[in-house]
Amino acid sequence: MMIKFIHCSDIRLDEPFQLVGDVPEYIMKSIRNSSFQSLKRVVDDAIEKKVDFIIISGNLFSSKNRNIKADDYAAKQFARLKEEN
């Protein structure tokens, strides 16, 4: 029997970014959403590939900006995994 899993690390949902210089708002929006998209893609891949488990090492949440938005988003992604068994 082969066990399949996904390992990821340091997603840091909703981590505040500090960039030097003038960055257009559409790029900043994409950067702000990147951690959320990363978690979604991990879950998408886990469902598609029918992995046995996911290991998330490091920080799932931002240590500087832990908030209800990030908590809710993670809970919804984990609910998707549960629905797919």
Side-chain angles (χ1 to χ4, degrees):
M1 177 174 136
M2 182 170 37
I3 296 174
K4 295 189 292 185
F5 67 94
I6 292 175
H7 172 262
C8 58
S9 180
D10 294 317
I11 294 175
R12 298 176 191 256
L13 291 174
D14 222 14
E15 181 80 15
F17 287 92
Q18 298 174 351
L19 300 176
V20 176
D22 208 14
V23 178
E25 183 55 34
Y26 74 94
I27 292 175
M28 284 305 299
K29 183 177 180 182
S30 179
I31 291 170
R32 283 188 216 106
N33 288 323
S34 64
S35 61
F36 293 97
Q37 288 302 311
S38 293
L39 180 59
K40 181 183 182 303
R41 287 183 183 136
V42 166
V43 171
D44 289 346
D45 285 349
I47 291 168
E48 178 186 328
K49 297 180 185 319
K50 300 185 184 312
V51 301
D52 297 295
F53 58 91
I54 298 172
I55 298 171
I56 303 174
S57 60
N59 296 16
L60 174 58
F61 299 100
S62 168
S63 59
K64 298 175 184 175
N65 193 38
R66 179 82 186 256
N67 60 62
I68 192 88
K69 175 184 170 188
D71 290 351
D72 182 59
Y73 190 83
K76 287 178 180 172
Q77 295 306 307
F78 295 145
R80 289 179 55 216
L81 288 171
K82 186 176 180 179
E83 286 173 13
E84 296 292 330
N85 205 15

